Amino acid sequence: MRFLLDDEQREFARSLDALLTAADTPAVVRGWASGDHGPGLALWRRLADAGVFALAVPEAYGGVGPLPVETAVAFVELGRHGVPGPLVESVAAGVLLGGVGGPAAKEWLPGIASGTAVVSLALEGYGPYALDADVADAVLTVTGDELRLTRGAGGATGPGAATGPGGSTGRPAPTGPGAPTVSVDPARRLFRPEPGGEVVAAGPGVREAARAAGTWATFATAAQALGCGEALLRATVAYVKQRTQFGVPVGSFQAVKHRLADTLLGLEFARPLLYGAAVELADGAPGAGAAVAAAKVAAGEAGYAAARTALQLHGAVGYTEELDLAWWLRRARPLRDAWGTPSACRARVLAG
């Protein structure tokens, strides 16, 4: 089966590529890793204006979703350009709140769709950390049948904040989430959610909504991993055309060609699995979870293989932080393991 994007979807991809190319995302990533979130949040709002965060938010709350295929298109581009921040988590939070409904959905979903709210998320079964909780307006956690919400360090500017004299919001100053856990990728800051938080929903519906949110988070991460791998392969091909040895480009050596061909094959085999999973999600097929898990395994492993190829063929220069490539190299492994490790995803495929 062939999965071909229509003209509107291809134009969406081209517009995001142009937006992110003009945004100088390597500089944004460096700033984010050093604690300067201003450029990243400005880019976040531009992505929201392009409709990225509305893709998983139901129309009743100001979104246009759920649109899995368009979400895949968007997150491949976000991965290709290395955009930092809790992108996956905000989209998955949209699915979670949309499934739960109630006052929390009315308060936060319009902000997620419009980009005025940055939300991070932690779910049982996917690790104890919330990505970039120090930047988030809210952190959502699900334990059993309870959905809890903790207003984060950015919570004073979240939805419904009433600005008072001198720019104050009238809310108590939010407490920070503590020190981040060391990550392979300095631009992925991992925090353990603060204990407690406000219970905003409870009951069996929370568990079902959390299951759907986890599947969407796995799906969006797979798309990011595919885009990251494509960026690494593209940079490596350009480099081996320029670097010479024995008077010829190293890209002309057969061993180099074979390594690049293997990398390309891995990425190209992952692509139809990703879009096949998107179709299953859109149709609400019973096997959608297993299809998403298969796509995550293929895309995550292909992206990580692209990183190993890029590092080897760039030689020692690939290790240097001065080279933009280093940020994509550091991201490939975390994306492979985030929101479903390869072993966990394979188990889900077998169970499905």
Side-chain angles (χ1 to χ4, degrees):
M1 183 180 293
R2 298 180 68 194
F3 296 100
L4 297 177
L5 301 177
D6 61 30
D7 291 341
E8 187 174 346
Q9 290 161 344
R10 286 194 292 269
E11 181 56 35
F12 183 43
R14 285 192 291 268
S15 66
L16 287 178
D17 179 52
L19 185 159
L20 295 170
T21 299
D24 187 15
T25 51
V28 173
V29 174
R30 284 187 166 86
W32 194 273
S34 68
D36 179 10
H37 300 121
L41 293 175
L43 179 57
W44 185 286
R45 288 186 287 272
R46 294 181 64 190
L47 289 169
D49 291 341
V52 169
F53 302 113
L55 294 172
V57 174
E59 292 184 18
Y61 298 99
V64 296
L67 296 176
V69 175
E70 286 74 10
T71 299
V73 170
F75 274 80
V76 168
E77 293 302 322
L78 296 174
R80 194 196 321 272
H81 288 273
V83 180
L87 304 157
V88 167
E89 289 71 17
S90 281
V91 166
V95 174
L96 174 62
L97 291 171
V100 170
K106 292 179 181 178
E107 179 183 5
W108 289 95
L109 282 178
I112 291 174
S114 65
T116 58
V118 178
V119 178
S120 193
L121 175 68
L123 297 177
E124 280 186 318
Y126 293 97
Y129 301 110
L131 182 67
D132 294 315
D134 58 332
V135 184
D137 297 294
V139 177
L140 299 175
T141 57
V142 175
T143 304
D145 290 341
E146 284 191 343
L147 170 60
R148 293 178 178 269
L149 184 148
T150 302
R151 300 188 186 275
T157 59
T163 304
S168 66
T169 62
R171 290 178 178 169
T175 58
T181 298
V182 176
S183 173
V184 173
D185 179 1
R188 289 178 59 86
R189 300 165 60 82
L190 304 174
F191 294 85
R192 287 186 178 271
E194 289 291 303
E198 175 190 359
V199 177
V200 295
V206 170
R207 190 182 296 272
E208 185 61 32
R211 186 179 297 113
T215 297
W216 271 75
T218 302
F219 172 68
T221 305
Q224 273 190 316
L226 179 62
C228 180
E230 290 178 348
L232 286 162
L233 178 60
R234 183 181 301 177
T236 306
V237 169
Y239 181 74
V240 299
K241 288 180 178 179
Q242 298 172 357
R243 182 186 172 193
T244 60
Q245 193 171 17
F246 307 117
V248 296
V250 297
S252 65
F253 300 155
Q254 190 175 46
V256 172
K257 290 180 180 179
H258 286 179
R259 186 68 185 267
L260 292 171
D262 289 343
T263 302
L264 176 62
L265 282 174
L267 295 168
E268 290 304 315
F269 272 106
R271 191 186 314 280
L273 288 176
L274 177 68
Y275 285 107
V279 172
E280 297 239 8
L281 277 176
D283 293 342
V292 167
K296 177 60 162 55
V297 171
E301 296 286 19
Y304 186 45
R308 297 199 305 270
T309 297
L311 183 59
Q312 180 181 10
L313 297 186
H314 276 80
V317 71
Y319 285 98
T320 60
E321 288 193 5
E322 290 76 13
L323 191 70
D324 291 342
L325 179 85
W327 296 95
W328 277 255
L329 288 173
R330 290 180 171 188
R331 182 153 300 182
R333 177 66 179 270
L335 288 178
R336 188 192 72 165
D337 296 337
W339 291 105
T341 63
S343 60
C345 287
R346 289 189 176 97
R348 189 172 184 182
V349 171
L350 292 173

